[in-house]
Amino acid sequence: MADLIVGLQWGDEGKGKIVDLVAKNYDIVIRSQGGHNAGHTVVVDGKKYALHLLPSGVLNPNAMNVIGNGVVVYPKQLIKEINEFDHDIKKKLLVSDKAHMILDHHIQIDKARERLRGKNAIGTTGRGIGPAYADKIARVGVRMGELRNIDKLMEKLAHYYEMNKGYFEYLEIEIPDMNELRKELEFYKDELIENITDTTKYLWDNMDKNMLLEGAQATLLDIDHGTYPYVTSSNTIASGALTGSGLPPKALNKVIGIAKAYTTRVGNGPFPTEDLGEAGDKIREQGHEFGTTTGRPRRCGWFDIIAARYAITLNGCDEVAIMKLDVLDGFEKVKVCVGYERDKEEIDYFPSELDGIKPIYVELDGWSGSAGVTKWEDLPENAKKYIEFLEDNIGTHIKYISTGADRNSTIIR
Ligand code: GDP
Ligand code: IMO
Ligand code: MG
């Protein structure tokens, strides 16, 4: 059976921290979508790890880590992450032979397209994610398993570059030197071939083990259900974790939704509860809200009940973790969005288009001193009231409350 950790907002909720916290209960930790656009932070005994492609279970020495078929893998980044790690993670890592590969030209296309979109840029991470998934859907992508036969792969790529000559010219991107490319692919093969396998079969053969699926990005960035086109290019929701791993729907046991006690977004697109004033700046400062992957400042605002309910339903969440409660320490009042308004009409669901949506807020009394608290009864009264208010309104049990980046700064209810 598999449990799933999934982001309920626009990413960076603290999925990495919770995956690491619970990983000791699991035999296998699986990434099933996204790529190195993800940046998952784990802090253990003051030491910080930023993971992009490696599942956040890698700090648990017992778990097997799987990069599933739904992930887009930039081999250069994967090799870098493996080599930077302080223990031999290679023996505990499997990469799907069906996972699509990001090559350098995907990164160049991503950046060129963003440049051409000008003020309508999506604000991608520039990691080649969209172009790699586009090739997958267009059935012209290359998969990790193809590293087994470099001659054949080179033939296929030569044809690909030939077909895309005009497009590359338009984007002012150079077609790579084929000798250099072959060397690069051979290097990937030498480094990774032992880890590449049919991970779907591996998961089926281990169905009696405890598995944890680690979501990347988050619900509101989902290609179908997010704020299109300001989304990522994969299905980030629970159902995407199944296609991205090959696990059957009935293998899914518990779904844990992760949300911050407020909201952030990095990149462009609608964000109804964004606070462009002092409060937003204070959240950014206290929460160190700068991207793990790109270092960009994150846009900050208040918790959005409407968006959270939408995300909880889409994912079928059994329980929720509320992260970074400590960041709201010191606010006299905290706001929570309990409804939307458009053209004087009240809306109590998350619509397909957010144009013109205005949040309806309630204000709750603030608190101080939640940082580092590990027991519910030790939380300040108003912090408890805040959590209970969220719980009542999202209609789902808040099992975890995070009060600091470290693994230990967590309340389990
Ligand atoms: P992910 O992408 O969902 O794994 O989240 P990120 O790692 O990108 O961003 C979350 C950031 O918040 C990281 O820097 C974490 O170390 C940090 N963090 C996680 N939980 C807490 C918390 O409860 N309090 C504080 N202050 N920081 C936290
Ligand atoms: P984790 O897993 C936050 C955002 C980008 C951009 C949009 C599309 O750490 O939560 P992409 O490069 O995927 O084509 O960019 O999605 N984005 C993220 N935002 N956290 C992430 O991952 C993200 N991955 C992508 O900022 O708005
Ligand atoms: Mg992140």
Side-chain angles (χ1 to χ4, degrees), residues 99-118:
H100 277 246
M101 214 186 297
I102 297 182
L103 293 170
D104 287 334
H105 70 261
H106 290 120
I107 295 172
Q108 290 167 346
I109 293 172
D110 192 0
K111 291 179 178 162
R113 291 189 56 150
E114 281 285 272
R115 195 181 64 235
L116 291 172
R117 283 179 77 107

Side-chain angles (χ1 to χ4, degrees), residues 122-172:
I122 290 163
T124 71
T125 58
R127 298 297 191 264
I129 306 295
Y133 276 120
D135 279 352
K136 171 177 171 173
I137 301 300
R139 295 162 294 184
V140 293
V142 292
R143 310 203 291 182
M144 291 301 284
E146 292 179 68
L147 286 174
R148 292 177 185 130
N149 186 340
I150 302 274
D151 285 341
K152 205 167 153 205
L153 178 55
M154 285 302 293
E155 252 175 59
K156 188 172 158 178
L157 282 168
H159 181 63
Y160 173 93
Y161 293 123
E162 186 58 36
M163 269 196 325
N164 284 291
K165 227 164 145 179
Y167 186 48
F168 275 52
E169 253 170 44
Y170 175 71
L171 295 176
E172 297 173 7

Side-chain angles (χ1 to χ4, degrees), residues 218-402:
T219 307
L220 305 179
L221 288 170
D222 183 275
I223 183 76
D224 284 277
H225 300 282
T227 48
Y228 192 87
Y230 298 99
V231 292
T232 191
S233 298
S234 64
N235 281 115
T236 57
I237 62 170
S239 34
L242 299 171
T243 29
S245 63
L247 286 170
K250 286 187 177 163
L252 197 56
N253 179 37
K254 192 165 59 179
V255 178
I256 308 170
I258 316 290
K260 280 177 189 167
Y262 47 94
T263 309
T264 64
R265 172 164 203 168
V266 56
N268 300 328
F271 178 3
T273 64
E274 181 169 20
D275 189 308
L276 296 166
E278 269 174 37
D281 289 344
K282 188 168 164 181
I283 293 175
R284 185 173 313 104
E285 221 169 275
Q286 295 194 169
H288 305 291
E289 293 295 356
F290 296 88
T292 310
T293 298
T294 57
R296 290 179 290 178
R298 295 178 183 142
R299 299 157 66 192
C300 296
W302 302 105
F303 194 90
D304 184 339
I305 301 269
I306 302 299
R309 281 210 292 254
Y310 173 74
I312 285 168
T313 308
L314 270 171
N315 292 296
C317 290
D318 298 287
E319 49 197 41
V320 163
I322 294 292
M323 313 299 291
K324 304 189 89 163
L325 184 69
D326 55 295
V327 173
L328 297 181
D329 276 0
F331 278 86
E332 211 165 296
K333 295 276 181 194
V334 282
K335 289 205 254 185
V336 182
C337 167
V338 292
Y340 289 160
E341 199 184 283
R342 176 156 53 194
D343 300 331
K344 300 206 169 105
E345 194 189 333
E346 237 180 80
I347 299 177
D348 65 354
Y349 62 91
F350 192 83
S352 310
E353 283 290 341
L354 288 174
D355 288 357
I357 285 288
K358 297 213 163 51
I360 301 170
Y361 286 118
V362 295
E363 269 193 353
L364 276 72
D365 291 329
W367 61 85
S368 284
S370 78
V373 169
T374 56
K375 290 196 192 99
W376 172 253
E377 50 278 19
D378 294 342
L379 272 183
E381 271 317 300
N382 285 344
K384 280 194 217 163
K385 282 189 191 153
Y386 182 71
I387 294 292
E388 281 166 348
F389 182 85
L390 297 188
E391 191 167 65
D392 287 348
N393 280 278
I394 61 176
T396 309
H397 177 53
I398 295 175
K399 171 149 179 168
Y400 303 93
I401 300 160
S402 178

